Amino acid sequence: AQSVSQHNHHVILSEAASLELGCNYSYGGTVNLFWYVQYPGQHLQLLLKYFSGDPLVKGIKGFEAEFIKSKFSFNLRKPSVQWSDTAEYFCAVTPPGNQFYFGTGTSLTVIP
Amino acid sequence: KAGVTQTPRYLIKTRGQQVTLSCSPISGHRSVSWYQQTPGQGLQFLFEYFSETQRNKGNFPGRFSGRQFSNSRSEMNVSTLELGDSALYLCASSPANGVNTEAFFGQGTRLTVV
């Protein structure tokens, strides 16, 4: 069965620090890759997505992610976090067929 | 365009009861998926409906069932509720046939089983 691993369960950073959240998946075929964010009390929102093409994708709010096919990874990065980035972040993978496989999430707390 | 709407937002039920949750997808979206979100488990896939047919199913017991109507609205039913069913249930809709599409999520229904 397909799985998605997020290595960091809880991350605490100070404002202006750089962020990298790891995501690895197990599926040998073509996949679509996503990062979703859930701000406190809000619904899941799409941060960025990768379908094909340039493996470095840019999303909203200064986030970016790099798809490394050989490592089955899709890590999320942001050069300088803000207090408003405090949220839960989920990596998701969809093999063809529209079923999303989500990681267990990473809770990010940014200290002002 | 209105987003994905889930009703009710909050529910408290007693063990052994059954519950029905509703999801109205974004207009024009034909695929609706359901997820169970619990702390530490992330989002667990329940099932996905497309054009009134269940297309994918996760590893949940038969107490969890769903259906989709001709207008793409979907309902999820949980029978014989257990304490462990307490969770946030999320509905997501996507446009078409699952190729290169993203999922749009509702705010969820918070179910508490006591």
Side-chain angles (χ1 to χ4, degrees):
Chain A
Q2 287 75 328
S3 67
V4 179
S5 298
Q6 291 185 238
H7 317 300
N8 317 99
H9 297 294
H10 197 104
V11 173
I12 301 173
L13 295 172
S14 297
E15 271 193 323
S18 64
L19 169 73
E20 179 157 4
L21 301 182
C23 172
N24 286 89
Y25 64 93
S26 65
Y27 185 78
T30 302
V31 292
N32 295 335
L33 299 155
F34 306 81
W35 276 97
Y36 281 85
V37 60
Q38 190 173 36
Y39 298 104
Q42 296 189 27
H43 63 281
L44 277 161
Q45 302 170 40
L46 182 70
L47 263 184
L48 47 77
K49 60 191 176 187
Y50 173 80
F51 293 152
S52 63
D54 188 344
L56 184 63
V57 288
K58 295 194 183 299
I60 60 171
K61 303 187 181 185
F63 286 91
E64 64 178 32
E66 185 176 13
F67 170 48
I68 302 179
K69 190 174 180 179
S70 61
K71 295 185 178 180
F72 299 91
S73 71
F74 190 56
N75 293 353
L76 180 72
R77 299 195 292 249
K78 185 171 184 179
S80 175
V81 295
Q82 301 172 317
W83 174 79
S84 57
D85 293 326
T86 294
E88 189 137 17
Y89 293 80
F90 293 91
C91 178
V93 170
T94 65
N98 208 40
Q99 178 176 339
F100 278 67
Y101 295 88
F102 282 86
T104 53
T106 297
S107 176
L108 171 66
T109 301
V110 179
I111 301 169
Chain B
K1 217 176 199 182
V4 178
T5 305
Q6 291 187 247
T7 56
R9 290 290 310 280
Y10 302 92
L11 266 178
I12 300 176
K13 289 286 188 178
T14 305
R15 265 184 307 174
Q17 287 186 311
Q18 75 162 16
V19 67
T20 299
L21 313 181
S22 181
C23 172
S24 294
I26 292 172
S27 177
H29 286 193
R30 294 166 63 191
S31 170
V32 174
S33 299
W34 288 88
Y35 298 84
Q36 182 193 66
Q37 184 180 8
T38 53
Q41 296 282 332
L43 279 78
Q44 308 272 319
F45 173 74
L46 281 153
F47 27 66
E48 184 234 348
Y49 286 87
F50 180 80
S51 292
E52 302 178 65
T53 301
Q54 189 180 85
R55 190 161 65 171
N56 289 294
K57 189 177 189 304
N59 295 324
F60 277 81
R63 301 185 296 108
F64 291 81
S65 63
R67 59 178 177 168
Q68 187 180 34
F69 302 95
S70 58
N71 61 358
S72 293
R73 190 177 70 85
S74 178
E75 286 182 347
M76 189 191 97
N77 185 275
V78 189
S79 62
T80 320
L81 283 165
E82 300 176 359
L83 294 178
D85 297 333
S86 295
L88 180 67
Y89 289 88
L90 294 171
C91 168
S93 75
S94 57
N97 59 5
V99 177
N100 291 356
T101 61
E102 66 188 78
F104 296 81
F105 284 84
Q107 290 202 285
T109 294
R110 172 77 60 188
L111 172 64
T112 303
V113 182
V114 298

